Amino acid sequence: MKIKNKLIITIFSLPLIATPLALTASDDNVPPIKNKLVLEECGACHLAFQPAFLPAISWEKMMNELENHFGEDASLDKEMTREITNYMMANAQKNKIVNFDNPPLRITELRWFKHEHGEREAKNMLNKKKLNSYVDCAACHKGADKGYYDDD
Amino acid sequence: MRNIIIILIFLLLFPLTASISAPRDDYLGQLEKMAKQFDDSFSGFSVERGKELYFRKSTTGKAETPSCTTCHSDSPLKAGQTRAGKPIDPMAVSKTPSRFTDIEKIEKWFRRNCKSVLGRECTPIEKGDFITFLMSQ
């Protein structure tokens, strides 16, 4: 859906190179996180990824498995876990068909993500910044913490 | 007159500087009591044992995090980095004076990181040794 939108916008904006910024802006942005606990706790180790990047079932599974969070123990006390889970699920990505048995957990493995970062340009950028994965969004997307990802 | 003002400023600031480290001393005191219960032969925390723990290569924890140095760098005087790229202030108290002054935070990170690196919670002796080493740096 997202990719298709972008394609349409790209095609339509070709003759109006000076003006397409306003059109594409909303497409590459997500609502920022407004919960202090989420920003503090998730943001302690990595950019606090906005809930709209994954469906609710993904956040639920991830928050249930914090003791083994991508190779680290990131467990929190019960109250904090509940508050963060509720916030992430309430603001999660909507209107997506999800495999409930195997919900996606890594944003970097989503199809649209791979598409957006698969070009040589993005890979060169990764090498230039000496990063070994795409997890550090803010290394390239300077407004990532505010939900702005349209600066590529 | 100027001397009196300087003395007054020092007197006012003294409780402030003392209070920053107070929770750390309290916490170490608590750990010491637990350490004695844990081991009868315990005779005080050790900088050397703390250093060994900081640099230890563990095989009992998660493969991604074999040592404290994985994220905290090979010197407590230097800044570290999380596996996701976020900078971590140096662990040495001389570089980051606020280290080990928030008991909830200390307990949370010991619980998580001991499990990540060692595959189990740390003992009161290990925690005390670790803090004592980083206070000496």
Side-chain angles (χ1 to χ4, degrees), chain A residues 19-82:
Chain A
T19 52
L21 277 174
L23 282 170
T24 52
S26 64
D27 192 46
D28 280 353
N29 295 337
V30 291
I33 295 171
K34 288 182 179 149
N35 180 297
K36 193 169 164 267
L37 188 69
V38 173
L39 286 172
E40 270 176 19
E41 292 303 328
C42 306
C45 298
H46 52 70
L47 175 86
F49 303 111
Q50 287 82 6
F53 277 121
L54 289 170
I57 180 89
S58 298
W59 293 120
E60 188 180 31
K61 186 170 166 31
M62 197 181 302
M63 292 302 293
N64 273 331
E65 297 173 347
L66 278 187
E67 286 189 10
N68 195 358
H69 188 67
F70 306 105
E72 259 170 81
D73 187 313
S75 58
L76 289 163
D77 69 41
K78 267 187 192 163
E79 259 173 54
M80 285 187 185
T81 308
R82 193 178 308 131

Side-chain angles (χ1 to χ4, degrees), chain A residues 41 45 72-75, chain B residues 82-83 86 108 111-112 116:
Chain A
E41 292 303 328
C45 298
E72 259 170 81
D73 187 313
S75 58
Chain B
T82 70
R83 289 168 51 236
K86 274 228 166 187
K108 179 173 84 178
R111 176 174 49 79
R112 287 173 158 183
S116 293

Side-chain angles (χ1 to χ4, degrees), chain B residues 65-133:
Chain B
T65 51
S67 172
C68 303
T69 60
T70 307
C71 297
H72 290 294
S73 90
D74 58 6
S75 164
L77 299 169
K78 289 196 297 198
Q81 198 180 43
T82 70
R83 289 168 51 236
K86 274 228 166 187
I88 307 174
D89 290 335
M91 291 303 290
V93 172
S94 64
K95 296 279 176 187
T96 314
S98 63
R99 280 279 173 228
F100 311 112
T101 55
D102 176 342
I103 293 185
E104 266 180 42
K105 201 174 162 185
I106 313 173
E107 288 279 286
K108 179 173 84 178
W109 286 102
F110 266 137
R111 176 174 49 79
R112 287 173 158 183
N113 293 353
C114 290
K115 281 193 187 163
S116 293
V117 175
L118 303 175
R120 59 166 173 82
E121 295 226 17
C122 285
T123 66
I125 299 176
E126 286 170 328
K127 289 179 189 176
D129 288 343
F130 191 77
I131 295 174
T132 304
F133 165 57

